[in-house]
Amino acid sequence: MIPIYAGILTGLTGILTAAQPSGIPEAPDLPERPGIIVIVGVDSYSVDGRRFRHAVEAIEAARPYSPPSETQFGINYGYGAAEVEAGCLATGLELTVTLDQVYPRWSGYGEASGMSQRRWDELLQQRRDHETGHARLAVHAAELIHADLGDLGVQPDCDQLQSRVDGALRAALSRLNRWQNRYDSATGNGDRQSGFDIDDYIASLD
C-alpha cells in the first residue's frame, strides 16, 4: 500500500470555475499546467447609489481599509509516497490552487446614465486586470513548486520526505506573498494598473 499525503488530491488537471453572480467580472483567463488544478470562485458585495460617484463612495464606506476588489489564494498538494530500496520517493504529485475573488456589484447600474455605466465598466475592467495579475502570480508559484517538489528525489524515509515537501511549500508560499505585495506596491493596489505588464513582472521574479 502506498501512503497518500494530501491537502487536496485529485486526478483532474485543468481550471474549474464556480458559478458567479451576474454583474461582476468573469473569472480570470489562466494557463493550464499539467499536475496543477486551479479552482476559481468569484463573489461580490452590493453597493448602492444613483450615480457613479455615489457607487464609489459606497465602496469606500463598505471597505474603508481595503481596495475595492481582492483575491485570496491557497495552494495545497497531494502525492503518493513509495518506499524504494534507497528510501522514500514522491509519486503522482499534484497541486491545487484555490482562488477566491471578490468584486463590487452596483445595484443601481441599470438605472444609471450611460456615462456612469461606462465609468463603472472601466473601473471593473481595471479591477479585473489587477486581480487577474494576482491569480497569475499564484499559478506561476504553483508551477515552480511543482518543479521543485518533482526534483526532491529519494529521501531517507517517508517522514523526511513529508518534512521536505512541507518545508518547500512553506518557503514557496512566503515567496509568493512577497511577489504579491510587490505587485500591489507597483500598481498602487490596482489604481495604477493601466500599462502594467504582468508578463514582464513574472519574468523578472527570482
Side-chain angles (χ1 to χ4, degrees):
M1 174 80 63
I2 296 177
I4 300 295
Y5 298 87
I8 298 176
L9 181 61
T10 174
L12 299 175
T13 299
I15 298 174
L16 308 178
T17 304
Q20 61 195 61
S22 60
I24 59 174
E26 295 181 353
D29 298 321
L30 299 170
E32 294 190 20
R33 297 290 186 265
I36 299 175
I37 290 182
V38 181
I39 300 175
V40 184
V42 182
D43 205 348
S44 68
Y45 61 96
S46 180
V47 294
D48 301 321
R50 295 176 54 193
R51 300 179 179 177
F52 173 75
R53 65 180 177 86
H54 298 148
V56 171
E57 289 169 357
I59 291 174
E60 294 171 349
R63 299 170 65 87
Y65 306 110
S66 302
S69 58
E70 67 177 337
T71 297
Q72 297 184 355
F73 59 87
I75 301 177
N76 296 283
Y77 64 84
Y79 69 93
E83 294 185 358
V84 296
E85 184 176 350
C88 192
L89 178 67
T91 62
L93 174 66
E94 290 185 335
L95 297 175
T96 301
V97 180
T98 57
L99 299 166
D100 294 308
Q101 297 187 324
V102 178
Y103 293 96
R105 178 170 43 83
W106 183 15
S107 62
Y109 179 88
E111 290 72 43
S113 68
M115 176 62 74
S116 284
Q117 288 184 352
R118 284 192 294 275
R119 295 180 68 187
W120 181 259
D121 292 342
E122 290 170 359
L123 172 64
L124 281 192
Q125 184 60 56
Q126 178 190 52
R127 298 315 309 178
R128 183 180 189 272
D129 290 345
H130 183 70
E131 302 309 332
T132 296
H134 280 300
R136 290 273 309 275
L137 288 170
V139 173
H140 178 65
E143 291 180 58
L144 298 184
I145 294 170
H146 196 278
D148 289 345
L149 296 184
D151 291 340
L152 282 179
V154 177
Q155 299 298 309
D157 56 53
C158 290
D159 287 341
Q160 291 193 47
L161 176 63
Q162 177 72 21
S163 179
R164 288 288 301 277
V165 170
D166 287 344
L169 187 61
R170 283 194 299 269
L173 289 175
S174 177
R175 181 174 56 187
L176 174 56
N177 280 322
R178 292 198 304 273
W179 293 348
Q180 301 282 26
N181 289 336
R182 284 166 50 191
Y183 172 63
D184 274 336
S185 179
T187 61
N189 281 317
D191 291 340
R192 300 189 300 272
Q193 193 69 30
S194 178
F196 186 86
D197 193 320
I198 187 63
D199 292 313
D200 284 352
Y201 178 68
I202 290 176
S204 73
L205 296 173
D206 49 20

